[in-house]
Every structure is written in C-alpha cells, then in structure tokens.
Amino acid sequence: MLGKTHKAFGATAIAITAIGYYQITGHHITQDLVFELNTTPTNETLLHIKPNSSEYVNWFHPLVQYIILLLTGIIGASAPDIDQSIPGMKHRTWTHTLWAILIFSGLTYYLRYHYLTNELLVNMTLVIAMFGFTIGYTSHLLGDAFSTSGIDWFYPLIGYKTYGSGATVVRGFRGPFIPIYSVGHGVIGAGFWSGVAFILSLYYILLL
C-alpha cells in the first residue's frame, strides 16, 4: 500500500474496532480502556479513579474520544514506514514485525495503569491515543502482509529473499497472507478505504 492508502485503511481499522467492540459488549471501547470513563465502575476501577475525575468525564464526550482514536490511528498507520528515513535500516524489517506491535500494546497497557502526569485529562488522552496508534500501526502491517513482497512478522528469524530481478520477498510459508496486490498497483486504493472509513465512522458516531 502507498502512504495515503495506509492512512485510509488505518481509519477504517479504527472504525471497525470501535463498532465491533460496541456490538459485542454494548460499551464504547474507551469506556473499558480508560478506568475513569467506565459507566459501571468495579471495585478495581474505583481504585484508579482520581477524586476530581467527574469534572472531566462530564465533558470528555465519546465523540472527542473517537476523534482522538481516529487521528492517532491515522498517525500509527503511517509510522512503520519511518524505517525508510532511518539510515542503515532496511525497509520492512524491524518496524514491520510482531515485536513492534507488542511494544506498543505494552505501552498502552502501561499507560492504562500508570499516570505519567498530574493532569487526569492528559493521562486519559494518552491511553486512548496510544491504543489508537497501535490499531493504526497494526493495520499498516496487515495491509503490507498481503502485498507480493509480504512482511516477516518475526524478523530477523525468517528474513527476506532477494531475486536477481531485484524483487525482495519474505521467505517461507505466508499462511493466510497470500499476495493479492503489488505496491502501487492495488485495485482497492485510498479513495475506497476513505469512503469505507467515512461511512463506518458516521455509523459509529450515531451510536454515541
């Protein structure tokens, strides 16, 4: 996928995640992600709530939360290709692995249980933003996994094979990630995914 397509696909992934979670649980995903936003707090939740949390929760509307998810998801969807700007790093190696996803997932988990600042609103925003970034980041890797080159989820354990023509393809069995497009020549592009993201986001907003 090209940059614009990755961003649109990332926005779609955020919308699908938000809608899917709501359909399964009946909760907006940020309600369970951020302790202070939980509408039916458990004893565990109450231990994490700051005394002044209510003044923030009253106006920290789910729409604002979704916008944060959406924006950080788009940023995350572009992040893996930063490897092209790092001297000495090959494209689709360390930034295109399961290890990177685990790191960002771990950061989300850490932020959920640890306050980095004395401002509750900042802490809540950081959790939502890190989660959105992780979803967007993951969408980028999923999109690239279906390209003809593919990605090595466990790099450097498997690696890539470079052919005489210059083509670089991930080695070994690709599982469900069969090659269905080549970068820059995909049938489904940014316009399509932008439309899907808009429709799904509008649907989710109507659920708020």
Side-chain angles (χ1 to χ4, degrees), residues 71-206:
L71 292 177
T72 53
I74 292 172
I75 294 172
S78 300
D81 282 345
I82 194 175
D83 57 4
Q84 298 182 60
S85 302
I86 300 176
M89 180 178 288
K90 294 182 178 180
H91 186 38
R92 292 194 180 186
T93 52
W94 292 106
T95 62
H96 288 65
T97 62
L98 181 62
W99 320 129
I101 294 176
L102 291 176
I103 288 173
F104 292 124
S105 297
L107 285 174
T108 302
Y109 181 84
Y110 180 86
L111 291 173
R112 185 173 189 252
Y113 288 91
H114 299 84
Y115 294 122
L116 295 186
T117 75
N118 292 322
E119 292 295 329
L120 181 61
L121 182 59
V122 173
N123 296 322
M124 292 192 296
T125 301
L126 285 175
V127 178
I128 295 172
M130 195 68 247
F131 180 74
F133 182 91
T134 304
I135 295 298
Y137 198 101
T138 303
S139 76
H140 182 117
L141 270 57
L142 288 173
D144 279 355
F146 286 100
S147 69
T148 51
S149 297
I151 65 169
D152 177 8
W153 292 93
F154 302 99
Y155 181 86
L157 301 183
I158 300 176
Y160 294 85
K161 179 178 181 180
T162 301
Y163 293 89
S165 63
T168 301
V169 181
V170 66
R171 292 177 183 273
F173 178 62
R174 295 180 59 165
F177 303 107
I178 58 174
I180 58 177
Y181 77 96
S182 59
V183 176
H185 298 88
V187 176
I188 302 177
F192 173 83
W193 290 117
S194 294
V196 173
F198 176 79
I199 294 172
L200 292 181
S201 293
L202 183 59
Y203 172 74
Y204 179 71
I205 290 171
L206 293 176

Side-chain angles (χ1 to χ4, degrees), residues 46-67:
L46 292 172
L47 292 175
H48 292 266
I49 294 179
K50 295 286 187 178
N52 63 336
S53 63
S54 60
E55 64 185 84
Y56 291 113
V57 175
N58 287 338
W59 69 266
F60 197 38
H61 193 274
L63 176 59
V64 177
Q65 301 162 31
Y66 182 69
I67 291 174

